[in-house]
Structures are given as structure tokens and as C-alpha cells.
Amino acid sequence: MTLPADSHVHSEWSWDTGGPRSHAVGRMQATCAQAVRIGLPAIYFTEHLDIPDTWRAEPEDLMPHQQDFINRSGRVDFAPFDAGGYLGAIDRLRHAFPDLRIHTGVEFGQPHLFGAQAAEIVDLGLIDRVLGSLHTVDLGEGAAEPNMLFREHDPAAVMHGYLDEIPVMVRGSEVFEVFTHIDYAIRQWPTATVGPFDPRPFEEAFRAAMGSIAEGGRALEMNTRRLWPWIPQWWAEEGGKAVTIGSDAHTPDAIAANFPEATAMLEHFGFRPGSAAEDLWTRSRAL
């Protein structure tokens, strides 16, 4: 099969890998080399555009190499995205890997809250693809990621709080074209204490969130870290017309993970590729 572009990839230019002065140095080049090896025609390096010191965390919420980012106030603090360094690296690698189409991108966290701050960091008009992500929600004690919120609140309340924020985000920002990993809170679901995640009690809220994304003219990312068939099904049924496919890789070996299974799943629900690997997958009508 011809692989679609991997539309969600991170390298040393994302803070959560450790950053461009960490052990992750060289990861962007290694990822390009891996893409060529596996026949990936195109890639988007969608580095994290998060605003430092804007959410709470405890050490157990972060990987060992990230725990030094927690400041004395118990908030995650790191160097802002280095747009100049990143764009320079992209330019060099385009020359080094002429057979791989390398595109710029950012994964903008909470864009409805931090548009002004982000504009001081990077000109989004220079970026090929802007993903919008919802990583944190404020349920009354200050913004935090779902894993911390699950320890503080009833899990169902956290899920509803997360899903209810999605329409707010869509209405509050026009800078992103793709809503990414709508299953983000599920990744951190407290299975050990409440059992496996069942989407059915949250179906109405998921459908409302998807409907708002579709009505806002955005695409939905099919994040291939986990393949949930109910996501493309409900997306199509709620009027979703376009998807991207992204591995959310943070290491070279993870690019294009599960792409054959993901594309087969999307085709089952009526989505079809465009003429180029970078094109959104689309369907002409809802199910």
C-alpha cells in the first residue's frame, strides 16, 4: 500500500521529548531516515506549542526525563518553542532528504486560551499544518491534565469536563485546522480502580464534541496510538467530512505505527484518500 503522510510527529523540538538541548538531539534527522526506510512519502513535524507555567502537575504525571520541568509552584515550566531553531532544522533536512516531503507543523495546546501568547512565539502563517489539542482542563483548582484530575474527581466528571470543553475550544479559536487525539483523556483513564473505559456512557458528549468540530469546518485526527472504531463511525454520523492520520510519534521507530489498520478502518466508514499523500481523507456525506 501507499502510505499516507504521517500528520502528527514530534522530535527534539518538542518540550516533552526533553527539548533541543537534551538527549533527544538528532531525533528529527533519525525520524527522516526512518521515514525513507519504510517508504513514507511525507511527514509533518508538529512540535508542541504549549505555553509554559500554565498547568499543574505532580512528578507521577510526567516521565522521568520531564520531571525537572515542575517548578516550585507545582506547575510545568519549560523553555518556549524555539521557532527559529525548528524552522532552520526543517530547511536543512529538506536538503538532506530530497525524496521525503517534509512539512512544518505545530500541535497548539489550548489554542482558545493562549492565542496572544502563541503569536509572540511563532507566526502561524509560516506553518503548513496547525493541530489543535486539548491537554488540560480546569475543574476548579487550576488547569491540569486528565491523569491528575482523575485522582481529584470522579472519573465520569473528568470525562464530561474534557468533552464539554471541546466545543468551547472550537468556538474560541480559528487558528487550527485539525482537532487531534479526541481520545486524550481516555489514555489516562484509571483502569486499575474503575475498570476498562466504556465509551457508551459518554456517547452523547462525544457526539456533541464531534458535531462542534464538524460544524466548525475542522478535520478530526485519527490518532493511531490506539484504534477505536467508534471514533470514525460517530465522526461520520455527526457530519464529519475530513480526517488526518497521525502516529503522534515521539521517537523515530513509532512513525506510521498502525497505519495499515487505521486506513482499513477509515475506508470501512467511507473515508477515501486524496490524490496526494498529504491530502485529507474525505467522505462525501455522513453515514
Side-chain angles (χ1 to χ4, degrees), residues 61 64 138-139 159 163 197 210 216 228 244 268 279:
D61 299 319
D138 189 346
L139 296 184
M159 281 301 307
L163 295 170
F197 179 77
M210 290 177 179
W228 309 98
T244 63
H268 175 77
D279 291 343

Side-chain angles (χ1 to χ4, degrees), residues 12-35:
E12 68 265 31
W13 298 99
S14 286
W15 70 268
D16 64 346
T17 65
R21 296 170 186 82
S22 74
H23 66 283
V25 169
R27 199 166 288 184
M28 180 181 273
Q29 181 170 340
T31 298
C32 291
Q34 174 68 359

Side-chain angles (χ1 to χ4, degrees), residues 1 36 50 67 108 177 185 206 226 229-230 274:
M1 65 172 290
V36 171
D50 292 319
Q67 291 175 0
F108 188 177
E177 61 179 303
F206 266 107
R226 295 166 181 79
W230 51 270

Side-chain angles (χ1 to χ4, degrees), residues 13 16 28-30 86 122 167 169 180 201 204 234 244:
W13 298 99
D16 64 346
M28 180 181 273
Q29 181 170 340
Y86 162 78
V122 60
M169 176 173 146
T180 189
E204 183 177 349
W234 292 354
T244 63

